Amino acid sequence: MPTERHPDPDVRGKSRPVSIKDIARALGVSHSTVSRALRDSPLVRAETVSEIKQKAYALGYRPSAVARSLVTRETRTIGIVVTTIADPFHGEVVTGIEEVAGAAGYSVILASSHREPEREIRAVRALQERRVDGILVASSRVGDLYLSAMTEMRVPIVLINNQHDGQLVYSVSVDNENAAREAVQHLIDLGHKRIAYLGDRFGSHSDAERLAGYRSAIDAAGIAFDSEMVAQGDSSPEGSAPGVYRLLARPERPTALFCYNDMSSLAALRVAGELGLTVPDKLSIIGFDDLFFAAYLQPPLTTIHQPRREMGREATELLLALLKGEPVASQRIAVKGELIVRGSTARPSPGSAF
């Protein structure tokens, strides 16, 4: 190992970052030797690697992610697209993503689509231009259109809670149909026969699956399907309220309401209160998601728990497997939802069940 023949002054005093060439000059070796040593190359002797790393630390060297990516063609970065950061559903999903990504040495970049398909595609392309290694998209409004995008961009994409049906390659979602069936069956077991469904006109794929679960449960119970007992919202309290008003204005109003998500359940609780319908005595309400506020409502909300953190973790593990070129057990992963029974559901009041 050459000794320091003409070391530079302490480069930590320079305004620019310490470079590999600075370390090489300080030790009188080639910058390629320093580069290999910092990457633990077997082409460099162990004692030389140790000395170079000690000098790099002493000089305050910090590796450049940009420079490293030019060599490895990897940025160790994952892009995430969500509909909006204001949606509490995505908080735990992103937490699960960050847990797995961080443990694997990846950082994340977050972007929002605001439920606009064109904006979603632009966000994905912008992340690809930033040379992220892979992309996760939550509540996609584009879905199978990513098949061609993945071929074009050569970036693996995994969708979480996909909202657009089609021949999608890789996705992670809750088992919507079975979870919805379980929710409606809970109402049937309580004695309800006039059960309404408040859907989401923007959640095309998951809405269709939850509606299918609703219909499956009432069909099995011998309850005739009535299209007038189905209304559409937009997953928000404000946008879901008109649908609740329409359902509860029926001459034979429903005694129970299964909502697309917890946010639309907030509209159901508010409208029921405005109409003087106590919950659950006059109207039972079930949500979907089990968001943080569900247990703190009055009454506490019966809902389907989506394992959002697990979904984020599963999707990230699937993406990392794709990045490594490893075989995956399934292209579509469906996780099980869980019915959480709280105070917003009860037996219908006497005389209202028929």
Side-chain angles (χ1 to χ4, degrees), residues 72-90:
T72 65
R73 298 187 180 275
E74 295 181 351
T75 61
R76 306 295 291 182
T77 304
I78 292 172
I80 308 171
V81 181
V82 300
T83 54
T84 170
I85 58 174
D87 188 340
F89 174 88
H90 294 121

Side-chain angles (χ1 to χ4, degrees), residues 279-339:
V279 177
D281 298 330
K282 297 297 184 181
L283 180 69
S284 286
I285 297 174
I286 293 185
F288 202 111
D289 286 342
D290 194 24
L291 298 180
F292 70 92
F293 57 75
Y296 299 96
L297 295 173
Q298 193 54 252
L301 183 66
T302 296
T303 186
I304 293 292
H305 174 75
Q306 284 207 69
R308 298 178 295 281
R309 182 176 294 191
E310 178 188 341
M311 291 165 67
R313 293 180 62 88
E314 289 268 11
T316 310
E317 289 171 354
L318 175 56
L319 184 64
L320 293 178
L322 295 173
L323 290 173
K324 296 174 184 176
E326 298 175 350
V328 296
S330 175
Q331 293 181 338
R332 298 189 182 191
I333 299 173
V335 298
K336 187 178 184 299
E338 178 186 2
L339 176 66

Side-chain angles (χ1 to χ4, degrees), residues 138-305:
S139 302
S140 172
R141 263 62 184 177
V142 178
D144 59 330
L145 297 182
Y146 283 125
L147 283 171
S148 59
M150 280 187 288
T151 302
E152 175 189 343
M153 295 188 296
R154 300 182 183 277
V155 173
I157 299 173
V158 175
L159 306 194
I160 305 169
N161 192 31
N162 175 40
Q163 299 300 331
H164 191 287
D165 196 12
Q167 296 302 311
L168 187 65
V169 180
Y170 300 106
S171 67
V172 176
S173 63
V174 72
D175 187 342
N176 284 295
E177 186 169 346
N178 281 328
R181 186 184 299 113
E182 185 177 2
V184 177
Q185 187 60 51
H186 168 65
L187 296 171
I188 293 170
D189 291 343
L190 289 173
H192 292 277
K193 295 185 180 297
R194 294 201 302 274
I195 304 169
Y197 173 63
L198 178 65
D200 173 25
R201 62 178 177 271
F202 294 119
S204 58
H205 186 48
S206 56
D207 177 66
E209 290 183 330
R210 293 174 198 181
L211 178 59
Y214 162 84
R215 292 197 62 169
S216 175
I218 63 172
D219 287 348
I223 301 172
F225 174 72
D226 181 357
S227 61
E228 292 299 310
M229 293 289 273
V230 176
Q232 294 293 316
D234 68 354
S235 289
S236 73
E238 299 81 6
S240 299
V244 180
Y245 279 116
R246 186 175 74 75
L247 291 170
L248 298 185
R250 297 199 66 207
E252 290 188 328
R253 63 168 181 80
T255 62
L257 177 58
F258 170 45
C259 298
Y260 174 80
N261 65 0
D262 290 352
M263 298 295 279
S264 54
S265 294
L266 295 178
L269 288 166
R270 190 194 73 187
V271 172
E274 291 176 357
L275 298 178
L277 301 174
T278 56
V279 177
D281 298 330
K282 297 297 184 181
L283 180 69
S284 286
I285 297 174
I286 293 185
F288 202 111
D289 286 342
D290 194 24
L291 298 180
F292 70 92
F293 57 75
Y296 299 96
L297 295 173
Q298 193 54 252
L301 183 66
T302 296
T303 186
I304 293 292
H305 174 75

Side-chain angles (χ1 to χ4, degrees), residues 124-136:
V124 169
R125 291 193 180 279
L127 289 169
Q128 185 266 338
E129 289 171 0
R130 297 185 68 171
R131 303 186 70 244
V132 297
D133 296 330
I135 300 174
L136 298 162

Side-chain angles (χ1 to χ4, degrees), residues 30-112:
S30 69
H31 69 270
S32 60
T33 298
V34 175
S35 178
R36 292 191 187 101
L38 294 177
R39 289 185 283 113
D40 293 309
S41 170
L43 299 176
V44 183
R45 293 183 302 169
E47 58 268 27
T48 303
V49 169
S50 177
E51 187 171 355
I52 288 174
K53 286 187 173 181
Q54 288 177 17
K55 176 57 69 175
Y57 178 80
L59 295 178
Y61 170 75
R62 296 293 181 271
S64 166
V66 173
R68 183 172 60 245
S69 69
L70 291 173
V71 176
T72 65
R73 298 187 180 275
E74 295 181 351
T75 61
R76 306 295 291 182
T77 304
I78 292 172
I80 308 171
V81 181
V82 300
T83 54
T84 170
I85 58 174
D87 188 340
F89 174 88
H90 294 121
E92 287 192 52
V93 172
V94 173
T95 296
I97 292 171
E98 289 181 324
E99 288 174 349
V100 174
Y106 284 78
S107 58
V108 301
I109 301 175
L110 186 65
S112 299

